[in-house]
Amino acid sequence: MIVGLSAWMGNSRPNWLEEFKRACSQLGWEARVVEIGRDDWERSLTGVDMFVWRPAMGDPSEMAEIRTKLPLMEAMGIACFPNSLMLWLYDDKIRETFFLRRHGHPMPGTFVSFDEPAARAYAEQATYPLIAKTHAGASASGVVKLDRKEEALKLLKGVFREQSILDKALVKYWFQPRLAKGNFLLERYFRFRDYCPRYAYFQEFITTDADWRITTMGRDLVSVFVRRNRAHDFRASGSGIWEKLELADLPAEACDLALEISNRHGFTAMAYDFMKGPRGWVIGEISMTFILNDVYTTTLFRKTASGYEKAAPIPIGVMHLNALKDAMDRAVQFPRWPMS
C-alpha cells in the first residue's frame, strides 16, 4: 500500500505530516511525501493507492488548491482523505446546513439567506436570544448571541452595507486607472478583496452548559467526550474543557446517529457537535478535521451487535488510514454530489 501525503501538512503545528508518516510505518505501508504545490504534482502520484491531505483551516490559498486538485485525484482512481463530499462541507456552515436539512438530519432551527429583505423580515419576528454565525471559522470564532431584535437588525445593517461615497471614489479614481494599466498585484487584490458573500446565518439558541463531541472513525468506531462551556460563556467549542465518559454514560442514540450519517454519506472520519435540545439530539456543526490531541485516542468506543464497548487507544493517523483502507476494500461508491 502506497500512501501519498501532502507535503503542506508538514507546515502545520502540530505536525500532521509526521503523524501520518508514523501511522504508515506502524501499518507497514509506504509513505510518499508529495510536493503537491509543484507543477508536476500529477506525475508524483504515479502508483499511489491513497492520498491524505489535511488542509490548514483559514488558509484560502491551500483551500483553493485542495478543492481544485483533490477531485482530479479521485478521477485518477486514488482514494482520498478527505473525499470530495467531505471537502465540500469543510469549514462552511452554510453548506453543512443545506446538507443536513436536505437529508433530514436533526439540527437546531436555522435560517440562512443571502437576501437582505428576507433576513430583516426574519429578524423582526424571530424568537430571542438567537445565535448568529459566520459561514467559516472554528473554536467558536464568528459566533455571537443576539439577545434582542435591535442587535440582529444592527448586525444585518453592517452585513448588507452598500458602498459608501468613499468606496465608490476609490474604485473610480484609484483602482480603475491602475487596473487599466495592467497592474497584476492590484488586480488580484481588487478582484478578491470582497470575496466573502453577504448573508444572514441565524440559529436557534439552545440553553446548555456543554456539548458532546462525537467523532466517527470508520464504520463502527467513535470518540466521545463532553466539552464544557467557557466560564461565563455560552460556547463550548474551543474551550479545551473536556470530560471523558464511562461506558454507562455513553449517549448511544447520538452515537448511533453519527455513525449512521457517516456510513450513509461515505465520511471516513467526521466530528459532530451534538446538543440535547427540546426536541432531542441535534447537530450544531460538523467537521472532517479536528485537533491532534490524545483526547481523541483515549475516548474510543466500538459499536457491536449488542451495543458499545470501550476500545483501547489508537493513534489518530492509524484510525484515519484504517478507515480509508476499509472503504477501499469494500469498493464503496460514495455519492460525490452533496445532495444525492
Side-chain angles (χ1 to χ4, degrees):
M1 180 67 61
I2 301 177
V3 182
L5 303 174
S6 167
W8 289 139
M9 294 191 297
N11 298 329
S12 65
R13 295 292 177 270
N15 193 319
W16 279 93
L17 179 60
E18 291 303 316
E19 172 69 16
F20 282 109
K21 287 168 68 174
R22 284 193 298 269
C24 287
S25 177
Q26 183 170 336
L27 292 168
W29 299 348
E30 178 184 340
R32 181 186 300 177
V33 179
V34 178
E35 298 292 341
I36 198 66
R38 291 169 55 99
D39 179 67
D40 61 351
W41 64 274
E42 290 172 284
R43 186 160 53 249
S44 301
L45 296 175
T46 302
V48 167
D49 299 296
M50 62 174 66
F51 192 84
V52 178
W53 187 348
R54 186 190 187 280
M57 181 176 287
D59 185 339
S61 293
E62 187 176 5
M63 286 304 300
E65 184 181 10
I66 187 173
R67 284 183 165 143
T68 299
K69 294 178 177 178
L70 187 134
L72 298 176
M73 296 182 195
E74 289 183 327
M76 296 164 63
I78 299 172
C80 295
F81 171 79
N83 62 35
S84 293
L85 178 53
M86 295 163 66
L87 183 60
W88 186 83
L89 292 165
Y90 178 56
D91 195 25
D92 195 312
K93 298 178 184 67
I94 294 176
R95 295 182 181 185
E96 293 172 22
T97 297
F98 292 160
F99 174 81
L100 293 171
R101 182 189 296 170
R102 168 67 177 82
H103 292 290
H105 303 313
M107 60 183 303
T110 305
F111 172 88
V112 182
S113 179
F114 293 78
D115 179 74
E116 181 180 9
R120 294 183 65 84
Y122 178 85
E124 288 282 357
Q125 56 79 45
T127 299
Y128 292 86
L130 200 62
I131 300 299
K133 297 181 178 181
T134 56
H135 72 289
S139 299
S141 61
V143 178
V144 296
K145 182 160 72 80
L146 306 172
D147 292 307
R148 298 179 296 111
K149 173 180 69 176
E150 291 74 17
E151 294 176 338
L153 293 174
K154 182 179 179 181
L155 183 146
L156 291 175
K157 183 178 180 180
V159 167
F160 291 100
R161 182 182 70 87
E162 296 292 338
Q163 276 192 331
S164 67
I165 295 176
L166 176 59
D167 291 331
K168 294 177 181 178
L170 281 171
V171 171
K172 183 175 181 179
Y173 297 108
W174 173 258
F175 286 106
Q176 289 182 347
R178 287 160 177 78
L179 294 175
K181 296 179 181 179
N183 188 316
F184 176 81
L185 295 178
L186 189 63
E187 177 78 19
R188 291 178 70 248
Y189 169 77
F190 179 76
R191 298 301 177 193
F192 296 101
R193 67 195 179 109
D194 192 28
Y195 69 91
C196 184
R198 300 177 182 181
Y199 59 84
Y201 187 106
F202 294 134
Q203 196 166 74
E204 169 192 6
F205 176 69
I206 295 177
T207 302
T208 179
D209 63 353
D211 69 11
W212 283 257
R213 170 51 70 98
I214 301 178
T215 305
T216 64
M217 298 293 290
R219 280 186 289 171
D220 58 7
L221 192 64
V222 290
S223 161
V224 189
F225 56 91
V226 175
R227 301 187 304 183
R228 292 293 173 187
N229 292 7
R230 299 173 175 88
H232 312 294
D233 199 339
F234 67 94
R235 298 169 296 183
S237 178
S239 70
I241 307 172
W242 302 313
E243 292 182 7
K244 298 181 181 181
L245 300 173
E246 298 299 328
L247 183 60
D249 301 317
L250 196 69
E253 182 182 355
C255 293
D256 287 347
L257 180 57
L259 284 170
E260 189 277 326
I261 294 172
S262 287
N263 290 329
R264 174 180 170 184
H265 300 294
F267 303 150
T268 55
M270 187 63 71
Y272 299 83
D273 297 344
F274 275 91
M275 295 176 287
K276 195 69 173 290
R279 299 179 300 279
W281 289 106
V282 292
I283 301 167
E285 296 177 18
I286 65 176
S287 177
M288 57 90 175
T289 68
F290 42 89
I291 60 175
L292 184 58
N293 190 290
D294 284 345
V295 69
Y296 288 94
T297 68
T298 58
T299 56
L300 296 176
F301 300 85
R302 191 177 300 277
K303 185 174 183 178
T304 67
S306 58
Y308 286 88
E309 61 183 25
K310 184 71 175 176
I314 306 171
I316 291 177
V318 171
M319 286 192 285
H320 272 297
L321 294 181
N322 276 335
L324 189 55
K325 179 64 163 54
D326 178 63
M328 290 176 58
D329 290 344
R330 291 183 293 125
V332 176
Q333 296 299 313
F334 296 129
R336 300 307 180 193
W337 176 242
M339 300 307 172
S340 62

